[in-house]
Amino acid sequence: MIDYHTHIGEQHHYSEEFLREGLKMRGTPALKTSLDQHSRAVERVSHAVVLAFRSRLLGFNVPNDYVAEYCQRDPEKLIGFACVDPHDHDAPGELKDCVHNLGLRGLKTSPIYQGYEPMDERMLPIYRFCENSGVPILTHHGTTFPRRAPLKWAHPEQLEEVALAFPELRIIIAHLGHPWEVETISVIRKHPHIYSDVSGLFYRPWQLYNSLMLCKEYGVWNKLIFGTDYPVTTFDEAVAGLYKMVDYASRMPFPGFTDKDIEALLANNVLAELNLA
């Protein structure tokens, strides 16, 4: 099994505002974890994507070199993704350094956290470098809890313009783009190199049930990949939450899904397609 969505980061990496709003919304500090805690959390997977996380808008920074150094503990398992903010001076140059010198293999982006329109001209050289260099992007196109994060740039359908402009760019949409899962399903159905992880969704079981049913009906089950969103969610919680969907489906008077469907999702290995194998 592969966990395509995990975080590291300690308290000093996040602004007080971000932690306060996360505590108010979730009842627990949002993303704080030690490196040793993360290492234990991914013991049961063969590979884990580890995300850097930078936002000038919201005042937090899990640095690229911090992620790169941690991933050197187990470079066969830990796949580091850089994060650059397009508002920073020479963000494309920073990304190139992350890939060529730090050994990071993907890019985390988020218009809603970083405050930019997805086709902002400052993002174009970043997309172009990723496409030309085979660097996949994991992007947070969906809602989030910080009050100042602009929802107008969160909709997954906006990724279609990116996919058409950069047709060989590999993209993962985080969290099925919640609460706009229908938009995400439409996008991953149309574009061959766009996938979505199902991280951090099981605690809204009715929403997840309907979203997974739509994925079955639209024939995009093979475009879904597993993620925990650790430390927001643990491995055991995430797996158990997905299997509960089979039980919910069995109680509905509609076509459902089975344990085999969940097993296929959990086992979906698209590392080669993402240029990560």
Side-chain angles (χ1 to χ4, degrees), residues 5 7 18 21-22 25-26 30-31 53 58 60 108-114 138-159 173-184 196-197 199-201 203-204 207 229 232:
H5 193 135
H7 296 274
F18 184 78
E21 289 184 318
M25 182 65 64
R26 301 170 183 266
L31 293 173
F53 206 10
L58 300 177
F60 58 76
K108 167 69 182 287
T109 68
S110 180
I112 189 171
Y113 280 114
Q114 297 174 314
L138 187 149
T139 185
H140 186 115
H141 267 74
T143 191
T144 188
F145 57 85
R147 184 179 181 183
R148 294 190 294 116
L151 287 172
K152 63 182 178 179
W153 293 326
H155 291 261
E157 68 178 11
Q158 296 174 72
L159 282 170
I173 302 174
H175 317 304
L176 260 178
H178 75 98
W180 300 291
E181 291 93 337
V182 175
E183 291 184 14
T184 297
S196 181
D197 74 44
S199 63
L201 298 174
Y203 37 76
R204 299 183 184 95
Q207 189 172 0
D229 199 22
V232 177

Side-chain angles (χ1 to χ4, degrees), residues 2 5 41 47 63 83 101 106 142 186-187 201 210 217 227 231:
I2 300 163
H5 193 135
H47 301 81
C83 187
N101 298 322
S186 300
V187 170
L201 298 174
N210 284 278
E217 291 174 350

Side-chain angles (χ1 to χ4, degrees), residues 53-161:
F53 206 10
R54 172 159 174 74
S55 168
R56 289 181 62 182
L57 174 67
L58 300 177
F60 58 76
N61 182 27
V62 179
N64 293 312
D65 55 359
Y66 178 78
V67 172
E69 183 176 355
Y70 171 63
C71 289
Q72 285 304 307
R73 288 188 179 188
D74 191 348
E76 293 299 316
K77 169 180 277 194
L78 302 175
I79 303 170
F81 273 41
C83 187
V84 297
D85 191 315
H87 299 96
D88 286 342
H89 174 67
D90 195 25
E94 182 183 359
L95 176 58
K96 291 177 184 177
D97 180 68
C98 289
V99 172
H100 296 315
N101 298 322
L102 294 183
L104 297 175
R105 301 172 61 190
L107 175 67
K108 167 69 182 287
T109 68
S110 180
I112 189 171
Y113 280 114
Q114 297 174 314
Y116 67 86
E117 190 273 327
M119 284 295 285
D120 187 302
E121 63 179 11
R122 291 168 292 191
M123 285 299 298
L124 303 186
I126 293 173
Y127 294 141
R128 189 172 301 112
F129 170 78
C130 288
E131 183 182 44
N132 292 340
S133 303
V135 173
I137 289 175
L138 187 149
T139 185
H140 186 115
H141 267 74
T143 191
T144 188
F145 57 85
R147 184 179 181 183
R148 294 190 294 116
L151 287 172
K152 63 182 178 179
W153 293 326
H155 291 261
E157 68 178 11
Q158 296 174 72
L159 282 170
E160 174 153 77
E161 192 172 357

